[in-house]
Amino acid sequence: MEALAASLGLATGDFAYALAAVFVAGVVRGFSGFALSALVMASLSQVLTPVEILPICLVLEVSASLLMARAGFRQANIPLVLTLVAGIVVGIPLGLWIATTATPETSRIVALGIIMTLALAQLARLSPAFLATRPGTIASGVMSGAVNGASSAGGMVVALFMLARKLPAAEARASLVVYLILSQIFGLTWLLIFGVMTEDAFWRGLTLAVPAMAGVLVGTRLFTPRFAAYYRPFCLSLLIALAAFGLFRALA
């Protein structure tokens, strides 16, 4: 493990922590359908900068989405997803500009602040009626792209949007999966343009994808419809706790 950690530019302890963190994030993604990147960003920000984590999150999201894609395309609201994706084309470069021009500490505070705010909004079940309109759909896509570029938490914006639309749980979950697949295509393009997706970053992501995918498979098997009401509060509470801890450390 020591040699592998060194090849990825990580201390052995940090690498072990990263393996555990992405596995837990994968489990949560498996049974909730979202929050993989947000959990990875909130947890790995203790050992890496947000700019270093962004490409890792993209590789993990692509891998997780491929595992869940079959059911996603079958049940998703495709026209709605495509409208959201149209918005992220504009939003992602804005978020990446913030992430790449800010200092590492400022970038970390911004990313964790976004994650904590979105998690609190979802836990409070805020659902502005504007989000259910067509302009609201496009605005949600733009905001999701910006948040994705800054903190890899764009899926949480879309999850909030799904709440406002009052979609059936299965349709909302599947639509989110398809959205995440399509958004990563544009995300990769912009990460390459901004020089964030480097060869080293790609190998870090690919290595961490193994425990993350194992976690997704475990989480998928753990998904039980009768416990569905408890998955989201648990996931959001975990995100809030991780983000609050990270912010405390960053601001202390």
Side-chain angles (χ1 to χ4, degrees), residues 183-206:
S183 67
Q184 299 317 311
I185 296 172
F186 293 103
L188 174 60
T189 301
W190 283 112
L191 286 178
L192 290 170
I193 291 172
F194 275 79
V196 174
M197 178 59 83
T198 63
E199 185 178 349
D200 289 343
F202 173 76
W203 284 112
R204 273 182 182 174
L206 203 59

Side-chain angles (χ1 to χ4, degrees), residues 29-116:
R29 172 64 186 277
F31 63 64
S32 71
F34 80 112
L36 173 62
S37 289
L39 282 166
V40 170
M41 177 64 74
S43 55
L44 293 192
S45 64
Q46 312 303 318
V47 296
L48 294 169
T49 66
V51 171
E52 292 175 309
I53 301 170
L54 287 172
I56 293 174
C57 287
L58 185 139
V59 175
L60 298 186
E61 283 289 0
V62 170
S63 303
S65 296
L66 290 175
L67 285 179
M68 304 172 75
R70 185 178 177 183
F73 280 99
R74 189 170 60 246
Q75 298 177 296
N77 185 326
I78 300 299
L80 189 64
V81 171
L82 292 178
T83 304
L84 288 167
V85 170
I88 73 170
V89 177
V90 178
I92 287 179
L94 174 61
L96 272 172
W97 177 80
I98 294 171
T100 54
T101 57
T103 64
E105 266 321 296
T106 300
S107 181
R108 183 176 287 112
I109 291 169
V110 168
L112 292 173
I114 288 171
I115 290 170
M116 189 170 183

